[in-house]
Each structure stands twice: as C-alpha cells, then as structure tokens.
Amino acid sequence: MLVDSHCHLDFPDLAEDLDEVVARAHRAGVGHMLTICTHVTRFERVLATARRFDTVDCTVGIHPHEAGTEPETAAETLMEMARDPKVVGFGETGLDFFYEHSPREAQARSFREHIRAAREMGLPVIVHTRDADPETIRILEEEQAKGPFPGLIHCFSSGPELAEKAVEMGMMISVSGIATFKKADALRDTIRAVPLDHLLVETDAPYLAPVPKRGKRNEPAFTVHTAAVVAEVKGMAPAELAEATTANFYRLFTKARRPASMAAE
C-alpha cells in the first residue's frame, strides 16, 4: 500500500469527480490520502472532504500564499480545529519568496504559529518552501531550539543543505512528481542521499503530475509513478519503497490510522 501524503481533494479540479478519483487511487494501490488545507476559512470544506472517505484524513492550515489575506490565526485556534479525529497535522505553511503573494513578515508569523501548534499538540507541521531555503532553515532551527516538533518538507525541490538540516531535526522529506522530470537530476541526487526512514511520497494533486502523466490533471493514483522513480533512485523494489514510505507516514502522523478498508492490502 502507498500513501499520498499531500493532495488537495477539495480543489475544484478534483472535487467534480471525487468519488472516482478516490476509487482510482484505491485500484492503483494508494490506500490512504492526506488532503491538505491551504485556507483556514475553507477548513470546513477540507474537513467535509476527509469525512466522506475512510481512506482520507486532512490538515488545518494557511498556505504562505494566503498568509496576507487569510485571518491572522494563532496556534490556539489551529489546535482547536485540530481536535477533530480526521485532522492529523498542521499546514501547509512555510515561506514562498518566488511568487511573494503575501508579505514575507506575514508568512513568517504564520509559519511560527503553525510550528507552535505542532509542538504543543505533537502533530506534524507540513512545510512549503520555495526560494527561501536559508530563511526556512533559520526559522526551523530557532523554533527547534524552543522545543522539538514533528514535521516534513513537502514537495521537496530544494538542494542538499535543506535536506540535511531537515533530517538532522528529525523531519521527513516528501517527494512529488518533480522527481520524475527529465531535468531533475540534481533533485534525484539529493533524494538518493536522504535516509530511507525519512522519505515520503506525494502527488500535490491536482498539480505536478509525474511522468508519464505530465501535462494532465494530477490525482492520487499517480503516486505510483513517483514511487517507482524513488525506488529506482534508492536501488530497491517498488514494493519495498511502498512499505517503507507507508511505515514512515504512520510513524510521523501518529494520529492517522490505517483505514479499515485497506488494512489487509
């Protein structure tokens, strides 16, 4: 069984035929999906999506793109929302200095509140970082100094320094379809060096469809293509990679449970 550790099932691109999207994932061997919140004001929609399926959990959080327009949300509010059994983590949050849709200061404040919630509840924080590796490392190290917290770098596309720092802090590295792209040799080299017990796989659906589905709408079933490339990079069989990354997911997301409908898979 594979786990798609990061997708957006509430987005309109997928919501229009969601039952079949989830069914296709199951048929492909993707037995659990984590649908990620990007707007705290849309959390109820994300939660409703997760409640529809035994094989879907969710998070609560504010994407860095939205940090300047969503309500400024304290850790206490995030934690209250996370008391629902279906909510297993915080985010996605972090820093995006490529698009800078939100002021950097707002992104950093929101990032730190998500981390504080993760620390206090012991649930993972899902980190988005783009063109902001030094600043992301600094915030993670400063917050780790206040007390440890679980987390992951999602859709990893950075260099070895961030990967090394994240692993040193006990965080996971989540690999998306970017790793299958022809020109992603440097990323594959970085993934090769990441310890197996720190790896997850994801789609970030509906975005970033992997080869051979590139250019199409991405969906959780396509996790198998990314996992196959990661397995090749790590020099192991796809089944071994699936077993390892699935075990990593449940070790990190301690509140998540293997869906009963997929337990025998």
Side-chain angles (χ1 to χ4, degrees):
M1 185 184 89
L2 281 164
V3 177
D4 182 355
S5 66
H6 193 112
C7 55
H8 299 280
L9 298 181
D10 70 302
F11 282 18
D13 312 60
L14 295 171
E16 60 188 18
D17 61 337
L18 187 56
D19 287 338
E20 184 53 32
V21 165
V22 172
R24 278 195 294 271
H26 294 167
R27 290 195 294 269
V30 180
H32 200 161
M33 289 146 269
L34 184 59
T35 190
I36 304 296
C37 185
T38 58
H39 299 68
V40 75
T41 54
R42 300 178 190 172
F43 169 65
E44 290 301 326
R45 187 175 78 186
V46 175
L47 180 59
T49 300
R51 285 173 172 169
R52 280 178 60 183
F53 304 97
D54 176 49
T55 55
V56 177
D57 284 317
C58 72
T59 65
V60 58
I62 301 171
H63 193 288
H65 287 343
E66 320 304 334
T69 53
E70 286 285 288
E72 194 158 331
T73 305
E76 288 76 12
T77 301
L78 294 170
M79 289 189 287
E80 185 60 32
M81 293 177 169
R83 299 196 188 284
D84 189 281
K86 277 285 188 176
V87 183
V88 300
F90 296 104
E92 63 188 282
T93 183
L95 305 174
D96 193 311
F97 295 168
F98 181 79
Y99 288 109
E100 296 206 76
H101 290 326
S102 292
R104 293 186 177 191
E105 297 79 7
Q107 293 184 44
R109 284 196 305 272
S110 180
F111 190 12
R112 291 182 188 275
E113 287 300 305
H114 284 71
I115 291 173
R116 185 160 68 89
R119 181 187 299 114
E120 294 194 22
M121 287 194 79
L123 299 180
V125 60
I126 295 93
V127 179
H128 168 113
T129 180
R130 188 169 185 190
D131 277 18
D133 286 4
E135 295 84 359
T136 296
I137 291 169
R138 178 176 57 81
I139 288 177
L140 289 173
E141 288 182 333
E142 288 175 358
E143 293 297 326
Q144 281 280 350
K146 299 174 186 176
F149 55 87
L152 65 94
I153 310 294
H154 112 88
C155 193
F156 191 88
S157 59
S158 299
E161 183 183 6
L162 178 58
E164 290 168 7
K165 293 289 187 181
V167 169
E168 285 175 10
M169 289 184 271
M171 300 180 76
M172 298 276 184
I173 301 296
S174 185
V175 183
S176 73
I178 295 173
T180 72
F181 296 175
K182 183 178 180 180
K183 296 182 179 179
D185 288 335
L187 174 59
R188 287 187 286 271
D189 287 343
T190 297
I191 293 166
R192 189 174 290 112
V194 174
L196 180 60
D197 60 355
H198 285 266
L199 282 176
L200 299 174
V201 287
E202 66 168 87
T203 57
D204 204 12
Y207 310 115
L208 298 174
V211 174
K213 303 292 186 179
R214 194 170 183 188
K216 298 182 179 181
R217 179 193 73 172
N218 201 4
E219 57 181 75
F222 299 167
T223 309
V224 296
H225 301 294
T226 297
V229 169
V230 175
E232 182 179 357
V233 167
K234 301 298 285 185
M236 60 196 305
E240 293 178 292
L241 190 281
E243 182 178 3
T245 55
T246 296
N248 292 344
F249 177 85
Y250 292 112
R251 182 159 47 85
L252 178 63
F253 289 93
T254 55
K255 192 176 171 184
R257 295 291 178 265
R258 288 179 182 263
S261 59
M262 305 299 288
E265 295 293 326

